[in-house]
Amino acid sequence: MSTKKTIGVGVISLGWMGRLHARSYRSLSERFPELGVEATLVAAADPVKEAQRAAVEDLGFQRAYADYHELLADPEVEVVSICSPNFLHAEIALAAIDTGKPFWIEKPMGVNVEQARAVTLAAEKAGLVTAVGFNYRHTPAIEYMRELVRTGQLGRITNIRAWLIADYNSSPLGPLTWRASREKAGTGVVPDLMSHGADLAQYIIGRIASVTAVTDTFITERPIPTKMGFGHSGFEIGDEVGPVENEDYVSMLVRFDNGVIGTLESSRVSVGPRAEYVVEVYGTKGSARWNFERLNELEVCIGVDGGPTHGYTRAMANPAWGEWHRYQPAIGTSMGFDDMKSIEAAQFIQSVLTGEQLAPSAADAWCAAEVDEAVVASAADGQWHDVPRVEGRTTFDA
């Protein structure tokens, strides 16, 4: 008989990310046995009938609801994952807070900074721990890069470069989805990809204090879908087109509280890069660089005069880096994107069990939203904009 504590899970919206949350919860007992927890998939909520069927028959949920309010009212649901489209995030998070249930939410936490602020302050007032889907933090190579920075092994950090360049919207025949709507997505690539870049930069270096930025929309109209898809695929389009209401591209300069300078760039329409998410950190004693497309590698150079072979060493993920040891038996065997989400699930559940905010928090998401807001303001007037400080339990500087 198992002596593990069971915790009842509810997942709202069963698209790609909702299904990934479900798999992540199921992995906890194997990957993080010291938590002493067995996550039970109690209920899923999705208005689509096929998703409700899949929840029970394919994913192992005990039951499925069409209305997320029914899931939140279910007494056996103790924690909630919010994986709906962006425009529903704040509404659902506030409803979860009203029921006193801790939540793990995908970023951005709303379509504007006001929604992110409202959710954070409500969660703080209720005393709830939270988790936000800044999963790239949990990559073992990023954890080691942060250690190199925070322990001074790279010397005084002078500058950081980060770019998140993708091609998922590079075709002009890509459908006009909610992601192109100001009402439903807010801005475009800034919260979608650059919020990850801002969070990574802050996790490694510290708080971003001010920004100046430019944005542009390169594909100004797209075909309206005649059949909805799943994630970024499966859509069918007709001849009618509609306007793209937010930006495809952003480039920004940033200054950190500690004086470090950064250059950040993001695009959702670049032809070629599939998911080239790169972070480079430079210091007076060395540097390091990482590319998500080779997420299990880190290039490191320590020292300023290493002789005729001076340069980068390619290091492979290993048991000394983050949580790598939980997933693979030998150096050179790779972890993947899904593993980062299971680490996130573990941090969320550990936060719930201990009451200590360990997972990326709602306050972290609010902080990223403030960066986003400053970027949009700067792109409009061409000036430097300060990034306001936020209240609540941020974790990027812990």
Side-chain angles (χ1 to χ4, degrees):
M1 185 181 211
S2 175
T3 59
K4 290 187 176 182
K5 173 183 171 58
T6 60
I7 190 163
V9 170
V11 177
I12 298 172
S13 190
L14 280 182
W16 165 53
M17 193 55 65
R19 295 173 187 228
L20 178 49
H21 277 227
R23 293 197 298 274
S24 297
Y25 285 120
R26 288 200 303 265
S27 74
L28 292 181
S29 183
E30 176 189 357
R31 300 295 189 191
F32 295 85
E34 75 278 8
L35 291 179
V37 168
E38 190 77 45
T40 301
L41 300 181
V42 173
D46 196 296
V48 178
K49 283 284 188 185
E50 171 58 21
Q52 295 168 37
R53 181 208 63 77
V56 176
E57 297 182 15
D58 301 337
L59 299 176
F61 285 91
Q62 295 175 2
R63 46 191 171 272
Y65 300 110
D67 187 336
Y68 75 82
H69 292 95
E70 294 183 76
L71 181 147
L72 292 176
D74 190 323
E76 293 184 35
V77 172
E78 299 172 83
V79 299
V80 179
S81 277
I82 302 171
C83 306
S84 55
N86 296 358
F87 59 92
L88 293 173
H89 282 183
E91 169 192 318
I92 298 173
L94 290 170
I97 293 167
D98 284 343
T99 64
K101 294 181 178 179
F103 59 87
W104 173 16
I105 189 170
E106 285 304 312
K107 59 88 223 161
M109 209 161 56
V111 298
N112 53 48
V113 73
E114 288 77 15
Q115 290 186 352
R117 179 190 301 114
V119 170
T120 303
L121 294 179
E124 290 286 336
K125 184 178 180 180
L128 294 176
V129 297
T130 53
V132 179
F134 289 129
N135 49 281
Y136 298 106
R137 281 189 189 191
H138 312 308
T139 308
I142 289 292
E143 295 283 18
Y144 186 62
M145 178 187 278
R146 184 177 192 263
E147 180 183 332
L148 290 174
V149 169
R150 299 297 177 108
T151 58
Q153 294 180 66
L154 300 183
R156 177 178 62 85
I157 302 303
T158 56
N159 61 293
I160 180 174
R161 299 175 62 209
W163 61 95
L164 291 87
I165 307 294
D167 70 344
Y168 65 82
N169 243 5
S170 59
S171 170
L173 296 180
L176 187 74
T177 69
W178 62 265
R179 295 179 186 276
S181 165
R182 279 277 180 180
E183 178 184 0
K184 294 184 175 181
T187 49
V189 76
V190 171
D192 193 18
L193 284 182
M194 183 48 73
S195 61
H196 278 301
D199 182 71
L200 277 175
Q202 293 189 124
Y203 186 60
I204 295 167
I205 302 296
R207 196 186 79 90
I208 292 173
S210 59
V211 304
T212 185
V214 293
T215 63
D216 209 336
T217 306
F218 300 140
I219 301 175
T220 58
E221 60 181 23
R222 291 185 175 278
I224 295 172
T226 56
K227 178 186 175 184
M228 299 308 292
F230 185 80
H232 293 294
S233 61
F235 292 84
E236 294 180 5
I237 59 173
D239 295 328
E240 187 179 358
V241 299
V244 174
E245 299 174 352
N246 49 32
E247 78 287 341
D248 289 326
Y249 173 85
V250 60
S251 179
M252 51 199 279
L253 292 174
V254 306
R255 293 185 183 274
F256 294 81
D257 278 340
N258 54 17
V260 175
I261 298 170
T263 59
L264 284 73
E265 182 184 21
S266 194
S267 173
R268 63 186 181 185
V269 297
S270 296
V271 177
R274 305 316 309 262
E276 191 174 81
Y277 307 158
V278 176
V279 180
E280 298 180 346
V281 178
Y282 295 90
T284 55
K285 295 181 180 178
S287 66
R289 57 189 185 187
W290 171 82
N291 185 343
F292 173 68
E293 290 186 348
R294 298 189 300 275
L295 67 86
N296 292 281
E297 302 176 16
L298 186 68
E299 291 185 286
V300 181
C301 181
I302 302 291
V304 295
D305 185 13
T309 60
H310 182 67
Y312 281 107
T313 297
R314 184 178 71 109
M316 297 296 294
N318 63 76
W321 295 7
E323 302 288 358
W324 185 90
H325 65 281
R326 298 180 185 272
Y327 295 87
Q328 298 300 343
I331 298 171
T333 306
S334 297
M335 290 175 64
F337 182 90
D338 288 17
D339 297 326
M340 308 307 115
K341 297 303 283 190
S342 68
I343 295 171
E344 199 169 290
Q347 287 190 353
F348 173 45
I349 295 302
Q350 187 175 2
S351 298
V352 172
L353 293 173
T354 63
E356 182 182 356
Q357 184 64 57
L358 302 170
S361 66
D364 290 327
W366 176 12
C367 189
E370 290 286 6
V371 175
D372 294 348
E373 186 87 350
V375 166
V376 172
S378 176
D381 66 17
Q383 303 299 311
W384 278 89
H385 281 256
D386 291 337
V387 178
R389 292 184 179 274
V390 305
E391 303 171 47
R393 292 168 287 181
T394 56
T395 65
F396 60 78
D397 233 0

